[in-house]
Amino acid sequence: MLNGDDALDTQASVRRANLRRALQLVFRAPGAQTRAGIARGTGLTAATASSLVAELIELRLIVDGEQAASTGGKRATTLSIDADHHLIVVIVIRPTDARIALVALDGTEVETHRVTYTEKTRDRMLDEAVADLAREHAGRLLVAGVQLPGTTDGRRVFESVQLDWTDVPLADRFERLLAVPVLLVNDVDAEAIAEAAREDESAGYRLFIHIGTGIGAAVTLDGELAPGPRDRAGEIGHVQVVFSDDARTCRCGRVGCLESVASMTAMLGDDFDDALDDAAIAGLAAAADQAGLADGARALARTIKLIAAVLDAAEVVIGGPARALGAPFLELVQAEIDYTATGTTRVPVRFADAGASISTGVAQVALSSALGVRWSPAQLRAASALRD
């Protein structure tokens, strides 16, 4: 809507850029920002700032709020995010189910539901669910973000071992059903973005590792995703890390991959599924072979130690279903990496913030793609509080 080709310094592109700047100021301080504040923040005239605000209100992106506190003159009217019209579609695709959510412009989830399927029925069930969504909310959908395990350039799924997809033009398929732009996001990238988006400050390199039926990683630098030039950064699950006679055959066909020993399926057994809740996962962990958990923690720690040393990472964050393994697993991993390797320093390992919604990361990517703005950490924390 507000994003377009700004390569040429045309009047339209300048106008879009100023609209994005004004909108970001409202997103940064909803309920407190004013027209005068936008004029000061952008360096534009009061008349131009008022014109921008009028257009953003007409586009149903912001609304007038209450009057601001008096500073001695006429009390200004505050501006807030219009959370009653536009909706962001978030589709989180996993091997056996998908979570579909509608997110308002203030970051709150207004509707969620789950679609279950088998490998044979997945495409049909997803298409039907997406088509139903388009019919029910016609005219209100702004953009869609699709989170999935696998490599993607935002348009095509290059490869997903978990979904058994290769070169799938998924964005085009969903765009035909939804009639709005669709962006694909790797699941680990989305989690890493969500983790960084909720923090007021994030300095240095952070290594984020997702552990579920698969294992993937993402790197952020000062809170920004640091992707590779070929859209394959963080694909560590099928790197060989075990070379002893005990090395297991991985589902990819190779032997000794990180996933073959440290994925949740490898550590907890075939009863594990990414869709399980924390209580069910904790039950599987309590009944699991503790030696298997220790083997997984050891292989994961070796991987972390090497990558963290290369990056000089400030911290390592473990996300995904592995959070349900709790402190005992985290202590196993930390103990394995706490030895002093010459020239390196200790790297803390923690679990991802449990308060972040599964929709946060991909919704943030979709919002930025459509409007060129971001939610503030305070806004996302407030949205999570409303959800809870």
Side-chain angles (χ1 to χ4, degrees), residues 95-158:
T96 60
D97 79 318
R99 183 180 186 271
I100 300 178
L102 293 173
V103 179
L105 284 189
D106 64 355
T108 58
E109 290 185 349
V110 297
E111 180 181 313
T112 64
H113 69 275
R114 182 181 170 212
V115 179
T116 59
Y117 40 67
T118 65
E119 186 174 348
K120 290 183 178 179
T121 64
R122 183 190 301 136
D123 285 357
R124 176 176 59 81
M125 295 294 290
L126 284 173
D127 287 354
E128 288 178 358
V130 170
D132 288 345
L133 201 67
R135 283 191 295 271
E136 185 176 352
H137 300 282
R140 296 186 63 193
L141 303 184
L142 176 70
V143 65
V146 181
Q147 176 179 321
L148 53 89
T151 54
T152 175
D153 63 354
R155 302 295 304 169
R156 305 180 75 87
V157 182
F158 293 143

Short mmCIF file of all heavy atoms in Angstrom, two decimals, residues 95-158:
data_model
loop_
_atom_site.label_atom_id
_atom_site.label_comp_id
_atom_site.label_asym_id
_atom_site.label_seq_id
_atom_site.Cartn_x
_atom_site.Cartn_y
_atom_site.Cartn_z
N PRO A 95 4.37 -29.63 9.53
CA PRO A 95 4.13 -30.89 8.79
C PRO A 95 2.73 -31.44 8.89
O PRO A 95 2.19 -31.96 7.91
CB PRO A 95 5.16 -31.84 9.40
CG PRO A 95 6.28 -30.95 9.83
CD PRO A 95 5.61 -29.70 10.34
N THR A 96 2.09 -31.36 10.06
CA THR A 96 0.78 -31.99 10.23
C THR A 96 -0.35 -31.02 10.50
O THR A 96 -1.51 -31.43 10.61
CB THR A 96 0.81 -33.02 11.37
OG1 THR A 96 1.17 -32.35 12.60
CG2 THR A 96 1.82 -34.12 11.08
N ASP A 97 -0.03 -29.74 10.65
CA ASP A 97 -1.08 -28.76 10.90
C ASP A 97 -0.60 -27.36 10.51
O ASP A 97 0.58 -27.13 10.30
CB ASP A 97 -1.53 -28.78 12.37
CG ASP A 97 -0.57 -28.04 13.28
OD1 ASP A 97 0.66 -28.20 13.11
OD2 ASP A 97 -1.04 -27.29 14.16
N ALA A 98 -1.55 -26.45 10.42
CA ALA A 98 -1.24 -25.04 10.17
C ALA A 98 -2.04 -24.19 11.15
O ALA A 98 -3.19 -24.50 11.47
CB ALA A 98 -1.57 -24.64 8.74
N ARG A 99 -1.42 -23.14 11.63
CA ARG A 99 -2.11 -22.18 12.50
C ARG A 99 -2.35 -20.92 11.68
O ARG A 99 -1.41 -20.33 11.13
CB ARG A 99 -1.26 -21.85 13.72
CG ARG A 99 -1.92 -20.91 14.72
CD ARG A 99 -0.97 -20.64 15.87
NE ARG A 99 -1.59 -19.87 16.93
CZ ARG A 99 -1.59 -18.53 16.99
NH1 ARG A 99 -1.05 -17.85 15.99
NH2 ARG A 99 -2.15 -17.89 18.00
N ILE A 100 -3.59 -20.52 11.57
CA ILE A 100 -3.96 -19.35 10.77
C ILE A 100 -4.48 -18.28 11.72
O ILE A 100 -5.36 -18.53 12.55
CB ILE A 100 -5.02 -19.70 9.72
CG1 ILE A 100 -4.48 -20.78 8.77
CG2 ILE A 100 -5.43 -18.47 8.93
CD1 ILE A 100 -5.46 -21.24 7.72
N ALA A 101 -3.91 -17.08 11.62
CA ALA A 101 -4.31 -15.99 12.49
C ALA A 101 -4.56 -14.73 11.68
O ALA A 101 -3.98 -14.52 10.61
CB ALA A 101 -3.22 -15.72 13.53
N LEU A 102 -5.46 -13.90 12.19
CA LEU A 102 -5.68 -12.56 11.66
C LEU A 102 -5.16 -11.57 12.69
O LEU A 102 -5.55 -11.62 13.86
CB LEU A 102 -7.16 -12.32 11.39
CG LEU A 102 -7.77 -13.17 10.26
CD1 LEU A 102 -9.27 -12.97 10.20
CD2 LEU A 102 -7.13 -12.84 8.93
N VAL A 103 -4.26 -10.69 12.26
CA VAL A 103 -3.61 -9.76 13.17
C VAL A 103 -4.01 -8.34 12.78
O VAL A 103 -3.91 -7.94 11.61
CB VAL A 103 -2.07 -9.90 13.10
CG1 VAL A 103 -1.39 -8.91 14.04
CG2 VAL A 103 -1.67 -11.34 13.46
N ALA A 104 -4.48 -7.56 13.75
CA ALA A 104 -4.86 -6.17 13.51
C ALA A 104 -3.61 -5.31 13.40
O ALA A 104 -2.50 -5.73 13.74
CB ALA A 104 -5.75 -5.68 14.64
N LEU A 105 -3.78 -4.08 12.96
CA LEU A 105 -2.63 -3.20 12.76
C LEU A 105 -1.94 -2.81 14.06
O LEU A 105 -0.82 -2.31 14.03
CB LEU A 105 -3.06 -1.93 12.00
CG LEU A 105 -3.32 -2.07 10.51
CD1 LEU A 105 -3.51 -0.70 9.87
CD2 LEU A 105 -2.18 -2.81 9.81
N ASP A 106 -2.60 -3.01 15.20
CA ASP A 106 -1.93 -2.72 16.46
C ASP A 106 -1.18 -3.94 17.01
O ASP A 106 -0.66 -3.91 18.12
CB ASP A 106 -2.93 -2.21 17.51
CG ASP A 106 -3.99 -3.23 17.88
OD1 ASP A 106 -4.02 -4.33 17.26
OD2 ASP A 106 -4.79 -2.95 18.78
N GLY A 107 -1.13 -5.02 16.22
CA GLY A 107 -0.36 -6.20 16.61
C GLY A 107 -1.14 -7.25 17.36
O GLY A 107 -0.59 -8.32 17.66
N THR A 108 -2.39 -7.02 17.65
CA THR A 108 -3.18 -8.00 18.40
C THR A 108 -3.78 -9.03 17.46
O THR A 108 -4.17 -8.72 16.33
CB THR A 108 -4.31 -7.33 19.19
OG1 THR A 108 -5.15 -6.60 18.28
CG2 THR A 108 -3.75 -6.38 20.23
N GLU A 109 -3.84 -10.27 17.92
CA GLU A 109 -4.50 -11.33 17.18
C GLU A 109 -6.00 -11.22 17.43
O GLU A 109 -6.45 -11.26 18.58
CB GLU A 109 -4.00 -12.70 17.62
CG GLU A 109 -2.58 -13.01 17.20
CD GLU A 109 -2.18 -14.44 17.56
OE1 GLU A 109 -2.93 -15.09 18.30
OE2 GLU A 109 -1.12 -14.88 17.10
N VAL A 110 -6.77 -11.11 16.36
CA VAL A 110 -8.22 -10.98 16.53
C VAL A 110 -8.95 -12.28 16.24
O VAL A 110 -10.13 -12.44 16.58
CB VAL A 110 -8.78 -9.86 15.63
CG1 VAL A 110 -8.18 -8.52 16.04
CG2 VAL A 110 -8.51 -10.12 14.16
N GLU A 111 -8.25 -13.22 15.60
CA GLU A 111 -8.88 -14.50 15.29
C GLU A 111 -7.79 -15.53 15.01
O GLU A 111 -6.80 -15.22 14.33
CB GLU A 111 -9.78 -14.36 14.07
CG GLU A 111 -10.51 -15.62 13.64
CD GLU A 111 -11.35 -15.41 12.39
OE1 GLU A 111 -12.08 -14.41 12.35
OE2 GLU A 111 -11.27 -16.25 11.46
N THR A 112 -7.94 -16.73 15.51
CA THR A 112 -7.00 -17.81 15.21
C THR A 112 -7.77 -19.11 15.05
O THR A 112 -8.80 -19.31 15.70
CB THR A 112 -5.95 -18.01 16.33
OG1 THR A 112 -6.60 -18.41 17.54
CG2 THR A 112 -5.14 -16.73 16.57
N HIS A 113 -7.29 -19.97 14.20
CA HIS A 113 -7.81 -21.34 14.15
C HIS A 113 -6.75 -22.26 13.56
O HIS A 113 -5.76 -21.80 12.98
CB HIS A 113 -9.12 -21.42 13.37
CG HIS A 113 -8.98 -21.18 11.90
ND1 HIS A 113 -8.98 -19.92 11.34
CD2 HIS A 113 -8.86 -22.04 10.86
CE1 HIS A 113 -8.86 -20.01 10.03
NE2 HIS A 113 -8.78 -21.28 9.71
N ARG A 114 -6.96 -23.52 13.74
CA ARG A 114 -5.98 -24.53 13.35
C ARG A 114 -6.58 -25.44 12.28
O ARG A 114 -7.75 -25.81 12.35
CB ARG A 114 -5.57 -25.34 14.58
CG ARG A 114 -4.52 -26.40 14.33
CD ARG A 114 -4.23 -27.14 15.62
NE ARG A 114 -3.41 -28.31 15.42
CZ ARG A 114 -3.49 -29.41 16.14
NH1 ARG A 114 -4.36 -29.50 17.12
NH2 ARG A 114 -2.70 -30.43 15.90
N VAL A 115 -5.75 -25.79 11.31
CA VAL A 115 -6.14 -26.72 10.25
C VAL A 115 -5.22 -27.93 10.33
O VAL A 115 -4.00 -27.78 10.34
CB VAL A 115 -6.01 -26.06 8.86
CG1 VAL A 115 -6.40 -27.06 7.77
CG2 VAL A 115 -6.85 -24.81 8.78
N THR A 116 -5.79 -29.11 10.45
CA THR A 116 -4.99 -30.33 10.50
C THR A 116 -5.11 -31.06 9.17
O THR A 116 -6.12 -30.95 8.47
CB THR A 116 -5.43 -31.25 11.64
OG1 THR A 116 -6.81 -31.59 11.47
CG2 THR A 116 -5.25 -30.56 12.98
N TYR A 117 -4.07 -31.83 8.83
CA TYR A 117 -4.05 -32.52 7.55
C TYR A 117 -3.02 -33.64 7.57
O TYR A 117 -2.24 -33.77 8.52
CB TYR A 117 -3.73 -31.54 6.41
CG TYR A 117 -2.66 -30.52 6.75
CD1 TYR A 117 -1.33 -30.89 6.96
CD2 TYR A 117 -2.97 -29.17 6.86
CE1 TYR A 117 -0.35 -29.97 7.26
CE2 TYR A 117 -2.00 -28.23 7.16
CZ TYR A 117 -0.69 -28.62 7.36
OH TYR A 117 0.27 -27.70 7.67
N THR A 118 -3.03 -34.42 6.52
CA THR A 118 -1.99 -35.40 6.29
C THR A 118 -1.15 -34.90 5.12
O THR A 118 -1.47 -33.88 4.49
CB THR A 118 -2.59 -36.77 5.92
OG1 THR A 118 -3.28 -36.65 4.66
CG2 THR A 118 -3.56 -37.25 6.98
N GLU A 119 -0.07 -35.60 4.81
CA GLU A 119 0.75 -35.18 3.68
C GLU A 119 -0.05 -35.17 2.39
O GLU A 119 0.14 -34.30 1.53
CB GLU A 119 1.97 -36.12 3.55
CG GLU A 119 2.96 -35.67 2.49
CD GLU A 119 4.21 -36.52 2.47
OE1 GLU A 119 4.42 -37.32 3.41
OE2 GLU A 119 4.98 -36.40 1.50
N LYS A 120 -0.99 -36.11 2.24
CA LYS A 120 -1.78 -36.19 1.01
C LYS A 120 -2.84 -35.10 0.93
O LYS A 120 -3.19 -34.65 -0.17
CB LYS A 120 -2.44 -37.58 0.92
CG LYS A 120 -1.47 -38.72 0.65
CD LYS A 120 -2.21 -40.04 0.49
CE LYS A 120 -1.25 -41.18 0.18
NZ LYS A 120 -1.96 -42.48 0.04
N THR A 121 -3.38 -34.68 2.08
CA THR A 121 -4.47 -33.70 2.06
C THR A 121 -3.99 -32.27 2.31
O THR A 121 -4.79 -31.34 2.27
CB THR A 121 -5.53 -34.05 3.12
OG1 THR A 121 -4.95 -33.95 4.44
CG2 THR A 121 -6.08 -35.45 2.90
N ARG A 122 -2.69 -32.08 2.56
CA ARG A 122 -2.18 -30.77 2.98
C ARG A 122 -2.55 -29.65 2.00
O ARG A 122 -3.11 -28.62 2.39
CB ARG A 122 -0.68 -30.81 3.19
CG ARG A 122 -0.10 -29.49 3.70
CD ARG A 122 1.42 -29.50 3.66
NE ARG A 122 1.94 -30.58 4.48
CZ ARG A 122 2.93 -31.39 4.10
NH1 ARG A 122 3.47 -31.26 2.90
NH2 ARG A 122 3.37 -32.33 4.90
N ASP A 123 -2.23 -29.83 0.74
CA ASP A 123 -2.47 -28.76 -0.24
C ASP A 123 -3.95 -28.40 -0.32
O ASP A 123 -4.32 -27.22 -0.32
CB ASP A 123 -1.97 -29.19 -1.63
CG ASP A 123 -0.46 -29.14 -1.74
OD1 ASP A 123 0.19 -28.71 -0.76
OD2 ASP A 123 0.08 -29.53 -2.79
N ARG A 124 -4.81 -29.40 -0.37
CA ARG A 124 -6.24 -29.14 -0.48
C ARG A 124 -6.78 -28.44 0.76
O ARG A 124 -7.52 -27.46 0.65
CB ARG A 124 -7.00 -30.46 -0.71
CG ARG A 124 -8.52 -30.29 -0.74
CD ARG A 124 -9.21 -31.60 -1.06
NE ARG A 124 -8.91 -32.65 -0.10
CZ ARG A 124 -9.51 -32.77 1.08
NH1 ARG A 124 -10.43 -31.89 1.46
NH2 ARG A 124 -9.18 -33.77 1.90
N MET A 125 -6.38 -28.91 1.94
CA MET A 125 -6.87 -28.33 3.17
C MET A 125 -6.40 -26.88 3.33
O MET A 125 -7.17 -26.00 3.77
CB MET A 125 -6.43 -29.16 4.37
CG MET A 125 -7.02 -30.57 4.40
SD MET A 125 -8.80 -30.57 4.66
CE MET A 125 -8.90 -30.03 6.36
N LEU A 126 -5.15 -26.62 2.97
CA LEU A 126 -4.63 -25.25 3.07
C LEU A 126 -5.36 -24.33 2.10
O LEU A 126 -5.77 -23.22 2.46
CB LEU A 126 -3.13 -25.23 2.79
CG LEU A 126 -2.22 -25.73 3.91
CD1 LEU A 126 -0.78 -25.81 3.42
CD2 LEU A 126 -2.31 -24.81 5.13
N ASP A 127 -5.52 -24.77 0.87
CA ASP A 127 -6.19 -23.94 -0.13
C ASP A 127 -7.63 -23.64 0.28
O ASP A 127 -8.12 -22.51 0.12
CB ASP A 127 -6.17 -24.62 -1.50
CG ASP A 127 -4.80 -24.59 -2.15
OD1 ASP A 127 -3.89 -23.94 -1.59
OD2 ASP A 127 -4.63 -25.22 -3.22
N GLU A 128 -8.33 -24.62 0.81
CA GLU A 128 -9.72 -24.41 1.24
C GLU A 128 -9.78 -23.41 2.39
O GLU A 128 -10.65 -22.52 2.41
CB GLU A 128 -10.35 -25.74 1.64
CG GLU A 128 -10.65 -26.67 0.47
CD GLU A 128 -11.23 -28.00 0.92
OE1 GLU A 128 -11.37 -28.19 2.16
OE2 GLU A 128 -11.56 -28.83 0.06
N ALA A 129 -8.86 -23.55 3.34
CA ALA A 129 -8.85 -22.64 4.49
C ALA A 129 -8.54 -21.21 4.06
O ALA A 129 -9.17 -20.25 4.54
CB ALA A 129 -7.84 -23.12 5.52
N VAL A 130 -7.60 -21.05 3.15
CA VAL A 130 -7.23 -19.72 2.67
C VAL A 130 -8.38 -19.11 1.87
O VAL A 130 -8.69 -17.92 2.01
CB VAL A 130 -5.95 -19.81 1.82
CG1 VAL A 130 -5.68 -18.49 1.09
CG2 VAL A 130 -4.75 -20.16 2.71
N ALA A 131 -9.03 -19.90 1.03
CA ALA A 131 -10.16 -19.40 0.24
C ALA A 131 -11.32 -18.97 1.14
O ALA A 131 -11.96 -17.94 0.90
CB ALA A 131 -10.62 -20.47 -0.75
N ASP A 132 -11.58 -19.74 2.19
CA ASP A 132 -12.64 -19.38 3.14
C ASP A 132 -12.33 -18.05 3.82
O ASP A 132 -13.21 -17.20 4.01
CB ASP A 132 -12.79 -20.47 4.21
CG ASP A 132 -13.43 -21.74 3.66
OD1 ASP A 132 -14.01 -21.69 2.56
OD2 ASP A 132 -13.33 -22.78 4.33
N LEU A 133 -11.07 -17.87 4.16
CA LEU A 133 -10.64 -16.63 4.82
C LEU A 133 -10.86 -15.43 3.89
O LEU A 133 -11.34 -14.38 4.33
CB LEU A 133 -9.15 -16.75 5.18
CG LEU A 133 -8.61 -15.82 6.26
CD1 LEU A 133 -9.22 -16.18 7.61
CD2 LEU A 133 -7.09 -15.96 6.33
N ALA A 134 -10.51 -15.60 2.62
CA ALA A 134 -10.67 -14.51 1.65
C ALA A 134 -12.13 -14.13 1.50
O ALA A 134 -12.47 -12.94 1.39
CB ALA A 134 -10.08 -14.93 0.31
N ARG A 135 -13.02 -15.11 1.48
CA ARG A 135 -14.45 -14.82 1.33
C ARG A 135 -15.01 -14.12 2.57
O ARG A 135 -15.79 -13.17 2.47
CB ARG A 135 -15.23 -16.11 1.06
CG ARG A 135 -15.10 -16.64 -0.35
CD ARG A 135 -16.10 -17.75 -0.61
NE ARG A 135 -15.82 -18.92 0.22
CZ ARG A 135 -15.02 -19.92 -0.15
NH1 ARG A 135 -14.42 -19.89 -1.32
NH2 ARG A 135 -14.82 -20.95 0.64
N GLU A 136 -14.62 -14.59 3.74
CA GLU A 136 -15.18 -14.08 4.98
C GLU A 136 -14.73 -12.65 5.28
O GLU A 136 -15.48 -11.87 5.87
CB GLU A 136 -14.79 -15.00 6.14
CG GLU A 136 -15.43 -14.62 7.46
CD GLU A 136 -15.10 -15.60 8.57
OE1 GLU A 136 -14.50 -16.66 8.27
OE2 GLU A 136 -15.45 -15.31 9.73
N HIS A 137 -13.50 -12.31 4.86
CA HIS A 137 -12.94 -11.00 5.21
C HIS A 137 -12.61 -10.17 3.97
O HIS A 137 -11.66 -9.39 3.99
CB HIS A 137 -11.71 -11.18 6.09
CG HIS A 137 -11.98 -11.90 7.38
ND1 HIS A 137 -12.56 -11.29 8.47
CD2 HIS A 137 -11.78 -13.20 7.73
CE1 HIS A 137 -12.69 -12.17 9.45
NE2 HIS A 137 -12.23 -13.33 9.03
N ALA A 138 -13.36 -10.34 2.93
CA ALA A 138 -13.12 -9.62 1.69
C ALA A 138 -13.11 -8.11 1.93
O ALA A 138 -13.97 -7.57 2.62
CB ALA A 138 -14.20 -9.97 0.66
N GLY A 139 -12.11 -7.44 1.37
CA GLY A 139 -11.99 -6.00 1.50
C GLY A 139 -11.22 -5.52 2.70
O GLY A 139 -10.87 -4.34 2.80
N ARG A 140 -10.92 -6.42 3.64
CA ARG A 140 -10.19 -6.01 4.85
C ARG A 140 -8.77 -6.55 4.90
O ARG A 140 -7.95 -6.07 5.68
CB ARG A 140 -10.94 -6.49 6.09
CG ARG A 140 -12.31 -5.86 6.28
CD ARG A 140 -12.89 -6.29 7.61
NE ARG A 140 -12.08 -5.80 8.73
CZ ARG A 140 -12.20 -6.23 9.98
NH1 ARG A 140 -13.08 -7.18 10.27
NH2 ARG A 140 -11.44 -5.73 10.94
N LEU A 141 -8.45 -7.53 4.08
CA LEU A 141 -7.12 -8.13 4.12
C LEU A 141 -6.10 -7.21 3.48
O LEU A 141 -6.30 -6.70 2.38
CB LEU A 141 -7.13 -9.49 3.42
CG LEU A 141 -8.14 -10.52 3.96
CD1 LEU A 141 -7.98 -11.84 3.23
CD2 LEU A 141 -7.99 -10.70 5.47
N LEU A 142 -4.99 -7.00 4.17
CA LEU A 142 -3.94 -6.08 3.70
C LEU A 142 -2.79 -6.82 3.05
O LEU A 142 -2.32 -6.45 1.97
CB LEU A 142 -3.42 -5.26 4.89
CG LEU A 142 -2.26 -4.31 4.62
CD1 LEU A 142 -2.72 -3.15 3.76
CD2 LEU A 142 -1.68 -3.80 5.94
N VAL A 143 -2.32 -7.87 3.69
CA VAL A 143 -1.14 -8.61 3.24
C VAL A 143 -1.14 -9.93 3.99
O VAL A 143 -1.79 -10.07 5.03
CB VAL A 143 0.16 -7.80 3.53
CG1 VAL A 143 0.36 -7.62 5.02
CG2 VAL A 143 1.38 -8.42 2.88
N ALA A 144 -0.43 -10.92 3.46
CA ALA A 144 -0.33 -12.22 4.14
C ALA A 144 1.13 -12.62 4.28
O ALA A 144 1.93 -12.43 3.36
CB ALA A 144 -1.09 -13.29 3.37
N GLY A 145 1.46 -13.16 5.43
CA GLY A 145 2.78 -13.72 5.68
C GLY A 145 2.64 -15.20 5.97
O GLY A 145 1.79 -15.59 6.77
N VAL A 146 3.45 -16.01 5.31
CA VAL A 146 3.38 -17.46 5.48
C VAL A 146 4.71 -17.94 6.05
O VAL A 146 5.76 -17.77 5.44
CB VAL A 146 3.10 -18.17 4.14
CG1 VAL A 146 3.01 -19.68 4.34
CG2 VAL A 146 1.82 -17.64 3.51
N GLN A 147 4.65 -18.53 7.22
CA GLN A 147 5.83 -19.05 7.90
C GLN A 147 5.92 -20.55 7.67
O GLN A 147 4.93 -21.27 7.86
CB GLN A 147 5.73 -18.73 9.39
CG GLN A 147 6.85 -19.31 10.24
CD GLN A 147 6.70 -18.93 11.69
OE1 GLN A 147 6.32 -17.80 12.01
NE2 GLN A 147 6.97 -19.87 12.59
N LEU A 148 7.11 -21.03 7.31
CA LEU A 148 7.25 -22.46 7.03
C LEU A 148 8.68 -22.92 7.25
O LEU A 148 9.61 -22.11 7.20
CB LEU A 148 6.81 -22.76 5.59
CG LEU A 148 7.45 -21.94 4.48
CD1 LEU A 148 8.73 -22.57 3.98
CD2 LEU A 148 6.49 -21.75 3.32
N PRO A 149 8.87 -24.22 7.49
CA PRO A 149 10.23 -24.75 7.62
C PRO A 149 10.82 -24.99 6.23
O PRO A 149 10.22 -25.68 5.41
CB PRO A 149 10.02 -26.07 8.37
CG PRO A 149 8.64 -26.50 7.96
CD PRO A 149 7.84 -25.24 7.77
N GLY A 150 11.96 -24.42 5.95
CA GLY A 150 12.57 -24.62 4.64
C GLY A 150 13.17 -23.34 4.10
O GLY A 150 13.00 -22.25 4.66
N THR A 151 13.86 -23.45 2.99
CA THR A 151 14.50 -22.30 2.36
C THR A 151 13.55 -21.64 1.38
O THR A 151 12.81 -22.32 0.67
CB THR A 151 15.79 -22.73 1.63
OG1 THR A 151 15.48 -23.80 0.70
CG2 THR A 151 16.83 -23.23 2.60
N THR A 152 13.58 -20.32 1.36
CA THR A 152 12.66 -19.57 0.50
C THR A 152 13.27 -18.22 0.16
O THR A 152 14.05 -17.67 0.95
CB THR A 152 11.30 -19.37 1.18
OG1 THR A 152 10.47 -18.53 0.36
CG2 THR A 152 11.43 -18.73 2.54
N ASP A 153 12.88 -17.68 -0.98
CA ASP A 153 13.26 -16.32 -1.36
C ASP A 153 12.12 -15.34 -1.14
O ASP A 153 12.15 -14.20 -1.59
CB ASP A 153 13.72 -16.26 -2.82
CG ASP A 153 12.61 -16.64 -3.80
OD1 ASP A 153 11.52 -17.06 -3.35
OD2 ASP A 153 12.85 -16.53 -5.02
N GLY A 154 11.11 -15.78 -0.41
CA GLY A 154 9.94 -14.96 -0.17
C GLY A 154 8.80 -15.23 -1.13
O GLY A 154 7.66 -14.85 -0.87
N ARG A 155 9.11 -15.92 -2.22
CA ARG A 155 8.10 -16.24 -3.23
C ARG A 155 7.94 -17.74 -3.42
O ARG A 155 6.84 -18.25 -3.50
CB ARG A 155 8.48 -15.61 -4.58
CG ARG A 155 8.65 -14.10 -4.56
CD ARG A 155 7.36 -13.39 -4.24
NE ARG A 155 6.29 -13.77 -5.17
CZ ARG A 155 5.02 -13.46 -4.99
NH1 ARG A 155 4.64 -12.81 -3.90
NH2 ARG A 155 4.10 -13.81 -5.87
N ARG A 156 9.05 -18.44 -3.50
CA ARG A 156 9.03 -19.89 -3.73
C ARG A 156 9.65 -20.62 -2.54
O ARG A 156 10.54 -20.10 -1.87
CB ARG A 156 9.82 -20.26 -4.99
CG ARG A 156 9.40 -19.53 -6.24
CD ARG A 156 10.23 -19.96 -7.43
NE ARG A 156 9.86 -21.29 -7.90
CZ ARG A 156 8.88 -21.51 -8.78
NH1 ARG A 156 8.19 -20.50 -9.29
NH2 ARG A 156 8.59 -22.74 -9.17
N VAL A 157 9.17 -21.83 -2.30
CA VAL A 157 9.82 -22.71 -1.33
C VAL A 157 10.88 -23.49 -2.12
O VAL A 157 10.55 -24.33 -2.94
CB VAL A 157 8.82 -23.69 -0.69
CG1 VAL A 157 9.53 -24.57 0.34
CG2 VAL A 157 7.66 -22.93 -0.06
N PHE A 158 12.14 -23.17 -1.88
CA PHE A 158 13.20 -23.88 -2.59
C PHE A 158 13.23 -25.35 -2.18
O PHE A 158 13.22 -26.25 -3.00
CB PHE A 158 14.57 -23.24 -2.31
CG PHE A 158 14.73 -21.87 -2.86
CD1 PHE A 158 15.44 -20.91 -2.16
CD2 PHE A 158 14.17 -21.52 -4.08
CE1 PHE A 158 15.60 -19.64 -2.67
CE2 PHE A 158 14.32 -20.24 -4.60
CZ PHE A 158 15.03 -19.30 -3.88
#
